[in-house]
Amino acid sequence: SGGALAPGITGPWQREEVLEAERRALESLRGEVECAGHQRGVKSVHLGRLHALRTAMSQIRRMESDFDFQAGLLAAQTHAHATTAYSRDNFSYGSTPLHSWLAVFNDETVQACLRSSSSPLHVVFGSSLGSLCLYAACTSQLPTRSHFAHHSHPSHPSHHLYPSHHAHHSRHSHPSHPSHPQRVPQDTQDPPHYPHTSSSDSPFRHSHKVLSVVGVELLPFLVTHANQIAKTANASHLVEFICGDVLAYDVSAVDVLLLTSQCWDETLRRAV
């Protein structure tokens, strides 16, 4: 999928331009953390998360250009189309750059939904290689200048910012159903100014809430790669990837549901 256009850009970006904008967005987030100050090791924890995100993003972008990956994905898409009732369009691959995701996720409507829950659950339908899940898991609760101005003495030790993801799913349990998705085992320059990463607009800017992030993907091929990417980036504890049909997932406890539905056909969109 395409990226959000920066001021002054009126046409679609080429891939290298999008990747450069993505890099600047990540540097902008890092700059916010660097400027926030250092309290009880929290800064190093968040910088670690951003490093994990950078590592994961680098893997994903390299994989997208790899012919072996593309051939494997085509085979998986062909098999899924032949063995399910879904049309080929539903298996189209798309990639959302970080800056586009930030522009959506930092919308006040989304943030209000997350603030309304004591332990918010964010689910991505069609999680693919896991980028959207990793964006959320690695950038939620990032400290900013305004964060430390309001929280000079954090009430939670820094290790609470690295929760065991599965520990928060007692309220997100799913009914037993044969078609329910199954889990696949997981083996100092000033930053550019981005409206979506300003000190007043960073995710969870005044909150110590733990965000649980789950990705649901039908293609085992992509889930396997997503788990490997998260493992290599040391981010497996921050996300959970489930292999299965999104229509079988219980959304009753979900606070924010993100659909990668741009290429889905009308039948699937109506069903969801």
Side-chain angles (χ1 to χ4, degrees):
S1 57
L5 299 182
I9 303 296
T10 58
W13 288 0
Q14 299 299 314
R15 176 179 171 82
E16 291 306 315
E17 293 174 300
V18 172
L19 294 182
E20 175 61 21
E22 187 172 67
R23 185 195 66 78
R24 291 198 304 268
L26 187 59
E27 288 303 311
S28 183
L29 289 173
R30 181 181 175 85
E32 285 291 329
V33 175
E34 292 283 6
C35 293
H38 181 81
Q39 302 228 354
R40 300 184 185 180
V42 171
K43 179 177 176 179
S44 62
V45 170
H46 290 299
L47 289 177
R49 283 195 174 189
L50 289 180
H51 177 74
L53 179 58
R54 180 191 295 276
T55 300
M57 290 166 59
S58 178
Q59 292 181 77
I60 291 171
R61 299 308 174 222
R62 284 199 304 269
M63 192 172 291
E64 290 173 339
S65 300
D66 182 78
F67 289 140
D68 289 337
F69 168 77
Q70 294 172 13
L73 177 59
L74 178 60
Q77 292 167 328
T78 301
H79 176 75
H81 172 59
T83 56
T84 69
Y86 293 121
S87 69
R88 190 179 298 275
D89 286 346
N90 293 310
F91 301 107
S92 299
Y93 181 87
S95 187
T96 301
L98 175 63
H99 49 285
S100 296
W101 179 87
L102 285 167
V104 173
F105 204 73
N106 286 331
D107 181 83
E108 179 55 32
T109 302
V110 176
Q111 290 297 306
C113 289
L114 295 173
R115 288 195 300 268
S116 67
S117 174
S118 60
S119 56
L121 174 61
H122 172 46
V123 174
V124 177
F125 276 3
S127 52
S128 190
L129 289 176
S131 60
L132 300 179
C133 296
L134 289 163
Y135 291 164
C138 294
T139 65
S140 68
Q141 296 181 301
L142 287 182
T144 64
R145 289 183 289 271
S146 61
H147 174 95
F148 283 101
H150 287 80
H151 297 283
S152 58
H153 300 287
S155 58
H156 297 278
S158 60
H159 69 267
H160 284 182
L161 299 175
Y162 272 101
S164 171
H165 187 73
H166 298 281
H168 297 278
H169 281 288
S170 59
R171 76 179 187 95
H172 307 316
S173 59
H174 311 306
S176 177
H177 191 284
S179 65
H180 190 273
Q182 299 296 309
R183 289 179 176 84
V184 172
Q186 294 186 3
D187 262 337
T188 325
Q189 191 174 8
D190 289 336
H193 294 290
Y194 283 83
H196 52 269
T197 55
S198 69
S199 60
S200 62
D201 289 329
S202 295
F204 287 83
R205 53 189 177 273
H206 301 309
S207 172
H208 289 288
K209 294 179 180 180
V210 170
L211 176 66
S212 296
V213 183
V214 176
V216 183
E217 169 60 49
L218 187 59
L219 297 182
F221 175 82
L222 290 175
V223 177
T224 297
H225 280 291
N227 277 322
Q228 185 57 49
I229 289 167
K231 180 180 180 181
T232 303
N234 293 318
S236 296
H237 57 297
L238 300 174
V239 294
E240 179 181 8
F241 296 113
I242 295 175
C243 185
D245 193 326
V246 298
L247 297 181
Y249 189 90
D250 179 10
V251 297
S252 60
V254 176
D255 296 288
V256 174
L257 178 63
L258 180 61
L259 310 179
T260 58
S261 57
Q262 182 172 340
C263 295
W264 294 358
D265 59 33
E266 186 61 27
T267 301
L268 178 56
R269 285 198 294 268
R270 283 200 305 267
V272 171

